[in-house]
């Protein structure tokens, strides 16, 4: 069921310093090469709480306290004296919207794409770096939408901030504190660019609809894209991992992670659903967090982006007729290559060879589909279940709707069974076949 959401109030929320003198408001934070590689777009997260839910006033006051530690969310993009893009810590504020609807949460479930779009703010003409929308339902339930500009920080840091917001609402000290130093990615001297970053990080991030060959264009339109949730139980995942671990050729067990096994299974299933020809090549884009891959390691609390991507690729015939283990190994090897050497090579490449405008990709708003490719975004290791505003963990947690076919999120399930929820955008004409085969391991 679609719902009507009425906006009641929209204002800017600024940090509160509890009587302390605020810091100087002319401080600039330079964007790192990883920030400038991120898409200049807003990433919305939706989560819901059953009654008794926290009051808007308590949420606002907690947010103001959290912003004293995470000032970048109340900042604005600017340029320094050399024309480089920076974040100006001017405390202008985060957009805070209060809204309501005349439906209960149960009546609105499951969320349709139009409902999801109404539960988050519009990004048209926005210069704030983060936006919050609180939507109240007649049953007392609350849906919180947090949307943040991807150039400011990645999902690892966003999850840390949301936990900190909850701590502030509960009157706790924010712990751990974010690490704000974005200057830690210094290029090496002499520079050692060992990989073809131009054709990977730059070219692959700037695909436009008009550049796609007719053979690789999807059979349906943007209006046909829907969001579907598939729940995978721990028992199914255990069977999947066992199947992936056994090579049909050698019979030797080679364990793969939950992520590798599930992504391999979904890649194969969606390839079958799409009906691609056997000799087409399909690739998947997987974000790789550099915090644990760089040496020395970078703390999870690092405020900024620290992500590059792996691009496993395969011919359709191999996905359809080779083993699950074969597909999992393709994924494993591609991700393995995005290591310390690769990250440092990219830092050298971007620092010495590129200007801001070369790095910054444009938003792919013209794309209706990633066809014949896919993008997997994993939130499996993020502490979203710890987002507690004083009333316990959320009952729903999910991405918002982006009408781009082939975009897939892996999220820890809030069903309480330890499973995984997969949110997938696909064409509605192909949903029935996907539901028929996605829970088949054979």
């Amino acid at each position: 069921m679609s719902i009507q959401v009425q906006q009641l109030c929209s204002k800017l929320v600024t940090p509160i310093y509890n009587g302390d003198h605020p810091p100087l408001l002319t401080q600039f934070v330079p964007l790192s090469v990883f920030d400038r590689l991120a898409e200049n777009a807003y990433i919305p997260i939706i989560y819901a709480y059953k009654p008794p839910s926290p009051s808007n006033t308590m949420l606002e006051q907690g947010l103001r306290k959290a912003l004293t530690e995470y000032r970048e969310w109340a900042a604005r993009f600017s340029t320094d004296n050399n024309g480089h893009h920076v974040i100006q810590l001017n405390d202008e504020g985060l957009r805070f919207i209060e809204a309501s609807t005349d439906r209960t949460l149960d009546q609105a479930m499951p969320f349709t794409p139009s409902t999801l779009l109404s539960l988050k703010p519009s990004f048209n003409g926005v210069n704030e770096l983060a936006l919050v929308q609180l939507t109240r339902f007649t049953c007392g339930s609350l849906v919180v939408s947090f949307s943040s500009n991807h150039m400011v920080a990645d999902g690892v840091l966003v999850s840390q901030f949301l936990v900190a917001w909850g701590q502030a609402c509960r009157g706790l000290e924010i712990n751990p504190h974010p690490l704000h130093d974005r200057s830690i990615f210094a290029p090496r001297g002499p520079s050692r660019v060992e990989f073809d970053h131009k054709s990977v990080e730059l070219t692959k991030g700037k695909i436009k609809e008009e550049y796609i060959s007719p053979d690789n264009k999807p059979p349906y339109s943007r209006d046909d894209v829907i969001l579907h949730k598939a729940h995978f139980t721990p028992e199914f995942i255990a069977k999947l991992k066992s199947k992936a671990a056994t090579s049909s050729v050698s019979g030797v067990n080679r364990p793969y992670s939950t992520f590798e096994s599930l992504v391999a299974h979904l890649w194969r299933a969606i390839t079958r659903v799409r009906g691609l020809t056997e000799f087409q090549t399909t690739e998947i884009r997987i974000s790789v967090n550099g915090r644990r891959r760089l040496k020395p390691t970078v703390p999870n609390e690092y405020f900024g982006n620290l992500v590059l991507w792996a691009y496993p690729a395969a011919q359709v015939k191999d996905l359809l007729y080779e083993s699950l283990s074969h597909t999992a190994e393709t994924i494993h090897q591609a991700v393995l290559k995005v290591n310390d050497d690769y990250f440092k090579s990219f830092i050298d490449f971007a620092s010495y060879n590129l200007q801001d405008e070369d790095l910054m990709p444009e938003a792919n708003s013209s794309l209706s589909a990633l066809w014949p490719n896919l993008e997997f975004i994993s939130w499996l290791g993020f502490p979203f279940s710890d987002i507690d505003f004083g009333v316990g963990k959320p009952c729903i947690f999910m991405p918002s709707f982006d009408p781009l076919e082939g975009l897939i999120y892996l999220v820890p399930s809030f069903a309480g069974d330890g499973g995984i929820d997969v949110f997938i955008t696909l064409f509605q004409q192909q949903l029935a076949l996907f539901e028929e085969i996605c829970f088949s391991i054979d």
Side-chain angles (χ1 to χ4, degrees):
M1 170 187 291
S2 297
I3 65 172
Q4 296 295 318
V5 173
Q6 180 183 7
Q7 186 177 119
L8 305 176
C9 175
S10 177
K11 60 186 176 183
L12 293 175
V13 170
T14 58
I16 183 170
Y17 293 103
N18 293 326
D20 297 333
H21 292 293
L24 294 174
L25 300 184
T26 56
Q27 183 179 352
F28 292 100
V29 175
L31 294 178
S32 76
V33 292
F34 299 105
D35 300 325
R36 287 179 280 149
L37 189 64
E39 190 174 12
N40 187 9
Y42 291 83
I43 309 299
I45 297 172
I46 301 285
Y47 45 112
Y49 296 85
K50 294 277 193 177
S53 56
S55 70
N56 289 8
T57 300
M58 184 181 78
L59 288 167
E60 179 183 342
Q61 290 304 307
L63 185 58
R64 285 163 61 86
K65 293 175 184 176
L67 288 175
T68 62
E69 293 279 354
Y70 292 83
R71 292 182 62 208
E72 287 87 338
W73 295 132
R76 297 291 184 269
F77 285 137
S78 184
T79 54
D80 63 14
N81 294 332
N82 296 316
H84 297 142
H85 292 275
V86 296
I87 300 172
Q88 183 180 11
L89 301 180
N90 53 17
D91 287 350
E92 286 194 12
L94 170 153
R95 178 62 56 182
F96 187 82
I97 297 168
E98 299 175 67
S100 68
T101 180
D102 61 355
R103 296 286 189 270
T104 67
L105 183 61
D106 288 341
Q107 287 174 330
M109 296 297 295
F111 290 149
T112 64
S114 61
T115 294
L116 287 169
L117 291 173
S118 70
L119 292 174
K120 67 178 181 65
S122 169
F123 306 134
N124 293 332
V126 166
N127 63 359
E128 296 89 354
L129 303 187
L131 305 91
V132 168
Q133 179 173 316
L134 310 178
T135 305
R136 295 278 170 184
F137 289 74
T138 56
C139 60
S141 298
L142 169 70
V143 169
V144 180
S145 167
F146 180 78
S147 305
S148 56
N149 191 296
H150 201 339
M151 289 182 65
V152 179
D154 57 24
V156 175
L157 188 280
V158 168
S159 68
Q160 298 279 342
F161 168 73
L162 295 176
V163 171
W165 182 9
Q167 291 173 336
C169 287
R170 303 198 312 273
L172 303 176
E173 291 294 323
I174 292 176
N175 184 47
H177 297 285
L179 172 64
H180 294 278
D181 185 3
R182 299 192 187 212
S183 64
I184 60 177
F185 307 115
R188 295 170 292 188
S191 170
R192 297 201 306 276
V193 179
E194 303 169 279
F195 303 93
D196 184 8
H197 299 288
K198 186 173 183 179
S199 65
V200 177
E201 278 75 27
L202 301 193
T203 304
K204 287 180 181 288
K206 296 184 177 181
I207 298 174
K208 298 297 178 198
E209 192 85 52
E210 58 266 26
Y211 299 157
I212 300 174
S213 70
D215 293 340
N216 282 337
K217 288 197 174 181
Y220 307 108
S221 73
R222 190 182 186 89
D223 293 336
D224 296 312
V225 178
I226 60 170
L227 180 67
H228 176 68
K229 184 180 86 168
H231 176 70
F232 293 91
T233 65
E235 294 76 20
F236 179 88
I237 293 169
K239 292 178 182 177
L240 197 64
K241 291 176 70 173
S242 176
K243 178 81 171 179
T246 303
S247 170
S248 60
V249 178
S250 66
V252 176
N253 282 352
R254 165 73 165 83
Y256 293 98
S257 68
T258 294
F259 174 82
E260 292 166 338
S261 303
L262 184 53
V263 169
H265 171 69
L266 290 168
W267 192 9
R268 287 154 54 92
I270 296 165
T271 298
R272 183 170 283 108
V273 166
R274 282 170 159 177
L276 302 174
T277 60
E278 290 189 1
F279 290 97
Q280 271 186 284
T281 296
T282 171
E283 70 178 13
I284 57 178
R285 172 172 149 127
I286 298 172
S287 59
V288 179
N289 178 11
R291 288 167 175 79
R292 288 293 173 266
R293 292 176 181 264
L294 278 166
K295 300 176 183 177
T297 59
V298 177
N300 277 342
E301 297 76 43
Y302 168 72
F303 199 147
N305 286 279
L306 189 40
V307 168
L308 292 176
W309 296 270
Y311 290 91
Q315 284 194 318
V316 169
K317 64 180 180 62
D318 293 330
L319 295 174
L320 296 183
Y321 305 126
E322 294 286 353
S323 66
L324 179 66
S325 176
H326 182 275
T327 306
E329 181 66 13
T330 300
I331 295 167
H332 177 80
Q333 289 299 327
V335 173
L336 196 65
K337 292 175 182 176
V338 189
N339 54 19
D340 177 66
D341 290 338
Y342 193 91
F343 272 90
K344 287 177 177 172
S345 173
F346 173 75
I347 293 170
D348 290 350
F349 166 75
S351 300
Y352 286 120
N353 296 282
L354 298 175
Q355 303 299 317
D356 282 358
E357 57 270 19
D358 296 321
L359 275 172
M360 292 179 174
E362 299 175 24
N364 283 329
S365 58
S366 68
L367 285 178
S368 61
L370 296 174
W371 186 293
N373 305 321
L374 297 168
E375 179 169 1
F376 285 89
I377 301 172
S378 175
W379 291 350
L380 296 180
F382 297 172
F384 287 118
S385 62
D386 296 332
I387 305 171
D388 181 357
F389 296 116
V391 295
K393 71 178 184 179
C395 61
I396 298 170
F397 177 79
M398 62 185 295
S400 185
F401 176 66
D402 184 350
L404 178 64
E405 184 268 353
L407 189 61
I408 303 169
Y409 286 84
L410 276 60
V411 180
S413 174
F414 278 63
D417 65 351
I420 294 174
D421 288 335
V422 174
F423 293 91
I424 174 172
T425 50
L426 74 168
F427 293 119
Q428 59 184 348
Q429 294 89 339
Q430 298 175 335
L431 175 60
L433 181 56
F434 176 77
E435 289 184 306
E436 180 182 327
I437 68 175
C438 75
F439 295 111
S440 173
I441 296 178
D442 298 328

